[in-house]
Amino acid sequence: GDSVTQMEGPVTLSEEAFLTINCTYTATGYPSLFWYVQYPGEGLQLLLKATKADDKGSNKGFEATYRKETTSFHLEKGSVQVSDSAVYFCALRDIQGAQKLVFGQGTRLTINP
Amino acid sequence: NAGVTQTPKFRILKIGQSMTLQCTQDMNHNYMYWYRQDPGMGLKLIYYSVGAGITDKGEVPNGYNVSRSTTEDFPLRLELAAPSQTSVYFCAGRDGVSPLHFGNGTRLTVT
């Protein structure tokens, strides 16, 4: 079945550091790919998405590019802030049927001032 | 516009008790989902629904039941609570190709 594998956490960085959180997937067909963010005590919020190969999703300074050849969707940000501290989830959505989302295990990110 | 609303926020159950986790949405979502989130395990799909009157099992349905009598409501039922059901439960909904909208979760402890 479909699956998503994320970089193990937790990840701790200093403010203004460069961030990469790796995500790779296994799927039949051509899924849509997503990054969700979860702040403490809240539900998940969509951060960005890409629906086809070579698409780049971006939001709030975060970017991720849909790489079909490496089945990857790595999340990057050039200069992180303390307010970026959260748990980040990579997910895929099959284009067929009920289009269920399959999530990675999440990566906890802490940014120190 | 309230979005996806879950109640209660917290609950403690004794082993063998039953309860219903409520989920309601006012965004006219056709698709609705229940996930559980365990530490370091991401989210696992319990049940989902593609419309009123239609439900189907997800990845981890054992010990749970759902119903979808209206478009707005998608309650999750635990009949005989077990410690393994201690988790944070998230309801989510969407329509068409929109992204998922999540509720804020219900933290359940079974002791």
Side-chain angles (χ1 to χ4, degrees):
Chain A
D2 297 348
S3 66
V4 175
T5 302
Q6 275 182 247
M7 169 178 175
E8 293 254 351
V11 174
T12 302
L13 296 171
S14 297
E15 206 165 23
E16 298 183 6
F18 183 86
L19 169 71
T20 301
I21 300 178
N22 290 338
C23 171
T24 58
Y25 67 90
T26 302
T28 53
Y30 303 98
S32 295
L33 301 174
F34 302 83
W35 277 99
Y36 280 83
V37 59
Q38 184 181 31
Y39 298 103
E42 297 184 9
L44 279 70
Q45 304 172 27
L46 178 67
L47 180 60
L48 54 84
K49 68 176 183 179
T51 57
K52 61 183 188 297
D54 300 325
D55 268 2
K56 179 187 282 188
S58 61
N59 186 25
K60 300 181 181 178
F62 291 89
E63 292 184 339
T65 301
Y66 190 144
R67 301 285 188 202
K68 181 167 169 286
E69 64 275 13
T70 54
T71 61
S72 65
F73 193 54
H74 305 320
L75 182 68
E76 296 181 336
K77 186 172 185 180
S79 177
V80 292
Q81 306 299 314
V82 172
S83 57
D84 294 328
S85 298
V87 182
Y88 292 81
F89 292 91
C90 186
L92 68 82
R93 186 171 74 194
D94 196 339
I95 59 173
Q96 297 181 348
Q99 301 180 25
K100 304 183 290 294
L101 254 69
V102 175
F103 288 88
Q105 73 271 33
T107 302
R108 182 176 297 279
L109 174 66
T110 301
I111 307 300
N112 293 322
Chain B
N1 190 345
V4 178
T5 303
Q6 290 183 238
T7 56
K9 287 185 167 47
F10 305 95
R11 184 72 186 270
I12 298 174
L13 284 182
K14 294 191 186 312
I15 295 171
Q17 286 186 318
S18 62
M19 77 163 292
T20 299
L21 282 67
Q22 301 292 345
C23 175
T24 187
Q25 52 92 6
D26 61 1
M27 305 177 79
N28 207 29
H29 293 315
N30 289 325
Y31 298 85
M32 294 190 75
Y33 307 83
W34 273 105
Y35 287 90
R36 59 177 287 171
Q37 182 182 26
D38 300 313
M41 299 294 289
L43 279 76
K44 301 291 186 184
L45 182 64
I46 305 170
Y47 269 94
Y48 65 97
S49 168
V50 300
I54 306 169
T55 63
D56 210 344
K57 296 178 180 179
E59 189 179 356
V60 290
N62 291 344
Y64 307 94
N65 271 304
V66 292
S67 59
R68 186 91 184 274
S69 56
T70 67
T71 300
E72 292 78 19
D73 300 307
F74 191 43
L76 178 71
R77 179 83 178 161
L78 284 71
E79 289 295 349
L80 291 170
S84 61
Q85 293 178 305
T86 294
S87 189
V88 181
Y89 292 84
F90 287 100
C91 180
R94 67 174 183 87
D95 60 65
V97 296
S98 71
L100 278 182
H101 292 94
F102 282 84
N104 283 337
T106 296
R107 185 176 294 277
L108 176 67
T109 302
V110 182
T111 62

